[in-house]
Amino acid sequence: MSQSQAPVGIFDSGVGGLSVLREIRQLLPNESLLYVADSGHVPYGEKSPEYIRERCVRITEHLLAQGAKALVLACNTATAAAAAELRERYPNLPIVGMEPAVKPAAAATRTGVVGVLATTGTLKSARFAALLDRFASDVRVITQPCPGLVECIEAGELQAPATRELLQSYVAPLLAEGCDTLILGCTHYPFLRPLLSALVPASVSLVDTGAAVARQLQRLLQQHDVQGVGPARPTCYWSSGEPERLRKVLPILLEDDGEVAFFN
Ligand code: DGL
């Protein structure tokens, strides 16, 4: 297979990266995609960086064995823990990571107060601290870890009363502090946009980096001269959790059907 026909490998701790896959599909319809949900090890947000790095190497090896020409870490927590190591191990592989949208949020806020919803792991990382130092010196940033929320999304419970209650408990303190811009700093959270829009005033902006990641992938594929020429093959999915569970939530999260294989 020529490199341009080779697929792009995308992964996350679970189904969150599908919010990024959706953006990639829209911008780059000629690319064939592979997706690994590490749902047997979700949530990454409460795991150690060492544990996450080990999982990321294992998943990358799997995607490379499937012929991936590029890698997207569709997970803020995995990027914070493992992007540097993966880039060192695979220097010739185009790798796109992601981080909370601090820069655009700092530019957009009118109240000067920005809220960040993300995992404990992302918020504790040195990478996030560096991001704040670099782009948020002129604004007040209030961070909110959200334990439990990822599990609601993994279950496809995007509108359930329990999901709403948990989300409300995380968002209310940020609104009380005057945040007018909320960063969705975990790839699972864009699936809660409809629920969030009902919980926050219309004047509050919600920002995430899915579309920016797709554009960065496009740039990298161009630089390496490996852009897909299409037609894209159906997406292949793997889960380290129960494949049946991913198969059930695919239509809810992505309006997609697909075969899901087990990956350990
Ligand atoms: N979706 C992931 C992120 O963007 C991590 C969620 C988790 O497993 O805790 O950070």
Side-chain angles (χ1 to χ4, degrees), residues 46 116-121 123 142-149 169-170 189:
E46 308 298 320
V116 188
L117 300 165
T119 68
T120 308
L123 297 176
I142 305 174
T143 59
Q144 176 65 63
C146 306
L149 211 48
S169 74
Y170 292 141
Y189 305 163

Side-chain angles (χ1 to χ4, degrees), residues 177-254:
E177 291 288 338
C179 293
D180 68 345
T181 309
L182 290 184
I183 298 174
L184 310 184
C186 166
T187 53
H188 282 74
Y189 305 163
F191 290 117
L192 295 178
R193 270 181 182 265
L195 192 54
L196 262 171
S197 302
L199 291 176
V200 305
S203 56
V204 172
S205 319
L206 307 174
V207 290
D208 73 80
T209 49
V213 166
R215 290 194 297 274
Q216 175 62 6
L217 174 64
Q218 182 179 43
R219 277 191 289 272
L220 274 188
L221 294 177
Q222 277 163 2
Q223 272 168 26
H224 287 76
D225 201 16
V226 290
Q227 307 101 293
V229 285
R233 295 179 294 283
T235 302
C236 298
Y237 298 95
W238 288 266
S239 171
S240 62
E242 288 166 38
E244 188 50 33
R245 229 173 129 155
L246 176 55
R247 205 171 294 131
K248 272 199 188 135
V249 296
L250 275 179
I252 301 173
L253 299 179
L254 213 55

